[in-house]
């Protein structure tokens, strides 16, 4: 009786377990069918025995075309031995965790994939095949390459490129920032951005953060920053928002360009312009075709033509009839790199009178 009861009990257990196993299989099948990853089953000979919809989309072969084919149909030259190596590991019961490689589509194009392979065992625990999960990582690879490219640009940039958190803390500091401001990367990271602020411009940093938080772009504006040694550098600053993958604002990226030489050049040019404008000598510029391009107040006073009347006219406007060729001879000498030093000649005024001049 006891023996018969045990059998009956065991029979009831088997009957109960079968529906549970069937239900689990249906869940697993649904997962495989709806997965965005290519899930492929293969036997120990490397023959494809299952092929989900994502595999069809990824590799271009229909399920009907793929099943019964060797897994090497998605292999690329130079990597065909991979499949044999994988099977040998699977036979030994070794699971292959995510590794990156490449596979070939039906149309011959190549896709970057992350591969995970697990052994498939029968009821007795013997390995009878493998389950392969191929995840398309093309976009990740492209993003990674793009990020490395940007990082290389930032590292080699002649402009100081600095990232900061929304509390104004420095989070990145490129070599140009080290060179421009005198702080090493180690010294700058985690410090407040205000370490490069001049006393009268400290509030600028918070104002910039507030603008960025409002979605405003801070484009190329001129200001000053302070180096570690206390000296001041003129900079042109552009600040852009840094966002997470979800689009959330997480920080700022600032590009500081040293414009000291530009400002000095501008100041020098302004100084020269002031000298020209206030000079008692007629200072005239001309193109190589002899066209007047600038005409200072002393030239107006000396020759009687206003700047508007003179600019754009030939320099022969002030030539006396017997000295017209002088201008062409001067231009030919200048073209050869010869400076025409102070020499005496004559020029004609607007009213027709002649003036004796020294020309350089």
């Amino acid at each position: 009786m006891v023996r018969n009861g045990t059998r009956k009990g065991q029979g009831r257990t088997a009957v109960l377990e079968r529906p549970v196993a069937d239900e689990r299989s249906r869940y697993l099948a649904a997962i495989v069918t709806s997965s965005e990853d290519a899930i492929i089953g293969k036997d120990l000979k490397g023959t494809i025995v299952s092929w989900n919809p994502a595999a069809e989309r990824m590799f271009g072969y229909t399920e009907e075309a793929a099943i019964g084919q060797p897994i090497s149909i998605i292999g690329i030259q130079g990597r065909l031995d991979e499949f044999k190596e994988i099977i040998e590991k699977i036979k030994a019961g070794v699971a292959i965790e995510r590794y990156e490689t490449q596979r070939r589509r039906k149309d011959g194009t190549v896709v970057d994939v992350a591969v995970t392979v697990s052994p498939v065992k029968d009821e007795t625990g013997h390995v009878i095949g493998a389950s392969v999960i191929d995840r398309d990582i093309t976009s990740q690879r492209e993003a990674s390459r793009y990020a490395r490219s940007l990082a290389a640009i930032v590292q080699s940039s002649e402009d100081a490129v600095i990232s900061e958190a929304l509390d104004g803390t420095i989070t990145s500091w490129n070599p140009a920032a080290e060179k421009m401001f005198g702080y090493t990367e180690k010294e700058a990271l985690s410090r407040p951005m205000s370490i490069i602020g001049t006393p009268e411009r400290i509030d600028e940093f918070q104002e910039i953060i507030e603008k960025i938080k409002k979605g405003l772009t801070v484009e190329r504006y001129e200001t000053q920053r302070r180096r570690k040694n206390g000296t001041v550098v003129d900079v042109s600053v552009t600040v852009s928002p840094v966002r997470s993958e979800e689009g959330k604002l997480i920080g700022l990226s600032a590009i500081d360009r040293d414009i000291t030489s530009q400002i000095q050049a501008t100041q020098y040019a302004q100084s020269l312009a002031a000298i020209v404008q206030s000079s008692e000598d007629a200072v005239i510029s001309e193109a190589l075709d002899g066209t007047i391009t600038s005409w200072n107040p002393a030239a107006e006073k000396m020759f009687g033509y206003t700047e508007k009347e003179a600019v754009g006219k030939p320099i022969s406007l002030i030539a006396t009839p017997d000295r017209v060729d002088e201008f062409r001879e001067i231009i030919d000498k200048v073209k050869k790199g010869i400076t025409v030093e102070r020499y005496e000649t004559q020029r004609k005024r607007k009213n027709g009178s002649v003036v004796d001049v020294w020309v350089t």
Side-chain angles (χ1 to χ4, degrees), residues 202-219:
I202 292 295
D203 293 338
E204 263 187 16
F205 300 103
Q206 190 56 44
E207 290 168 4
I208 289 171
I209 290 174
E210 294 306 318
K211 286 183 179 179
I212 293 295
K213 283 182 177 178
K214 292 176 182 176
L216 301 176
T217 302
V218 180
E219 290 190 356

Side-chain angles (χ1 to χ4, degrees), residues 19 42 57 71 97 123 176 178 181 280 321 325 339 343 347:
K42 62 178 178 178
R57 291 192 298 271
I71 191 70
E97 298 293 342
E123 294 177 355
E178 291 192 356
F181 300 117
E280 294 183 2
D325 292 339
T339 300
Y343 76 95
R347 294 290 180 257

Side-chain angles (χ1 to χ4, degrees), residues 217-269:
T217 302
V218 180
E219 290 190 356
R220 188 181 172 86
Y221 77 97
E222 296 184 4
T223 186
Q224 291 183 318
R225 294 289 180 254
R226 185 184 57 184
R227 299 185 179 97
K228 183 180 179 180
N229 64 9
T231 59
V232 172
V233 56
D234 294 298
V235 293
S236 170
V237 179
T238 298
V239 186
S240 305
V242 176
R243 300 185 182 277
S244 66
E245 291 182 2
E246 296 75 27
K248 182 182 178 182
L249 181 67
I250 56 174
L252 300 78
S253 177
I255 300 175
D256 288 11
R257 173 165 293 180
D258 185 344
I259 57 170
T260 304
S261 59
Q262 296 175 36
I263 288 182
Q264 289 174 343
T266 300
Q267 291 171 341
Y268 182 62

Side-chain angles (χ1 to χ4, degrees), residues 22-48:
D22 289 344
E23 186 176 0
R24 184 178 300 146
S25 295
R26 286 196 295 272
Y27 275 115
L28 290 175
I31 292 169
V32 169
T33 299
S34 62
S35 174
E36 293 185 1
D37 296 329
I39 301 178
I40 306 165
K42 62 178 178 178
D43 62 22
L44 295 181
K45 293 180 180 179
T47 303
I48 297 169

